[in-house]
Amino acid sequence: EITVVPRPHLDVSGPLTMCRNAVGTYVIVEQPGVTYEWFADGGKILSGQNTGQITVEWQRNGRIQVRALAQRPDGGYCAEDTIFNVAVAEKVKPELTFARSSLCAGDTITLKAAPGYRAYEWNTGERSAAIRVSTPGSYWVKAENTTGCSGISDTVRVVEYSKPRIGIEGPRVLCNGSQARLRGVDLIGDVVIWEWSTGHNGKELRVDRPGLYTLIAMTINGCRDTVEYLLKEQLAVSASAVSTPFGTV
């Protein structure tokens, strides 16, 4: 009497692309009376050995091998094997770029994540590749590439500095042919750079013509304030002849 035992059928599903240290689940459509042996090269089987479902933590490129064993009446087994490769990628770490990591009160700066990822999520909740920041604090972004690997950028700490406040001292009118001295005044802040609209650098400016003058002041942290000063022209006084008993004056 000859008994024919059907060879077990292997139908395995599971991810073939993984990130390093990520855990993948692999499933077989189980058959009655069949046991399974799993082997993971490049990963560690965490659970499910000798069942139809295992979980594997991957460290490098490798492969999954599974053997299905259907027991025969004589104590032997009918076996079927299958092997498939798994590609393991490194975790991503998106790079952040920015012109500066400080801002002046009332201003904004832009933080940009490296391009090429399919999804972004900032700790602010925004999901664009770049965000505009107007408040101090810590910022980072989580990015996911086209293979599903994700990672978090370094943290950028944005600090805020106060803006200076300046004024200009000097005469409001300029007599014809004379000079006036205009002087920048540091009202609030610690100004280190003074720039006039004439191109002159320095706190004081001597002018010999009326007009609108602009002064820009900058602190050591790069914060600026701008003030304008209108210097008017003094019109000349005309003299007229006056007749008196003593003659014409």
Side-chain angles (χ1 to χ4, degrees):
E1 182 178 347
I2 299 176
T3 301
V4 178
V5 178
R7 190 176 296 277
H9 174 67
L10 287 176
D11 185 8
V12 184
S13 61
L16 301 182
T17 302
M18 294 293 297
C19 300
R20 185 182 298 275
N21 299 322
V23 176
T25 300
Y26 301 87
V27 181
I28 291 177
V29 178
E30 297 188 65
Q31 298 169 270
V34 178
T35 58
Y36 303 94
E37 294 179 354
W38 297 85
F39 307 91
D41 177 25
K44 178 183 178 181
I45 298 176
L46 301 180
S47 64
Q49 184 62 278
N50 303 123
T51 70
Q53 178 175 311
I54 64 167
T55 56
V56 180
E57 181 181 7
W58 291 100
Q59 286 83 40
R60 58 178 175 82
N61 290 337
R63 61 183 183 174
I64 286 284
Q65 179 180 352
V66 59
R67 174 174 293 175
L69 301 170
Q71 190 167 16
R72 302 196 308 259
D74 63 356
Y77 291 92
C78 293
E80 184 71 15
D81 294 84
T82 188
I83 298 174
F84 52 92
N85 295 323
V86 177
V88 178
E90 292 286 348
K91 279 189 174 182
V92 301
K93 187 174 183 179
E95 182 181 359
L96 294 184
T97 57
F98 43 88
R100 55 186 296 183
S101 60
S102 63
L103 54 85
C104 302
D107 292 344
T108 61
I109 61 173
T110 300
L111 303 179
K112 295 180 180 180
Y117 295 97
R118 71 178 181 184
Y120 300 89
E121 183 178 359
W122 295 82
N123 62 310
T124 60
E126 296 172 86
R127 296 181 179 273
S128 55
I131 61 172
R132 293 182 65 82
V133 173
S134 59
T135 56
S138 297
Y139 297 88
W140 65 88
V141 65
K142 180 181 179 181
E144 181 179 306
N145 64 15
T146 55
T147 63
C149 293
S150 62
I152 297 176
S153 69
D154 289 333
T155 297
V156 176
R157 184 172 178 269
V158 176
V159 296
E160 182 181 83
Y161 297 108
S162 298
K163 283 187 175 181
R165 187 160 64 89
I166 63 171
I168 298 177
E169 291 180 344
R172 285 296 179 179
V173 294
L174 179 66
C175 296
N176 187 29
S178 63
Q179 284 190 340
R181 187 184 72 163
L182 305 181
R183 182 176 179 271
V185 180
D186 190 352
L187 302 175
I188 297 178
D190 187 12
V191 176
V192 294
I193 297 177
W194 303 84
E195 296 179 352
W196 294 87
S197 53
T198 60
H200 176 74
N201 294 323
K203 201 170 185 179
E204 294 187 359
L205 176 69
R206 289 190 175 274
V207 296
D208 57 6
R209 63 181 61 185
L212 182 65
Y213 293 90
T214 302
L215 177 61
I216 300 174
M218 184 185 301
T219 67
I220 194 171
N221 297 313
C223 297
R224 300 186 176 200
D225 188 28
T226 302
V227 65
E228 293 181 339
Y229 192 87
L230 179 61
L231 182 60
K232 298 181 179 180
E233 182 180 10
Q234 177 65 57
L235 298 177
V237 178
S238 60
S240 57
V242 178
S243 180
T244 71
F246 304 100
T248 300
V249 178

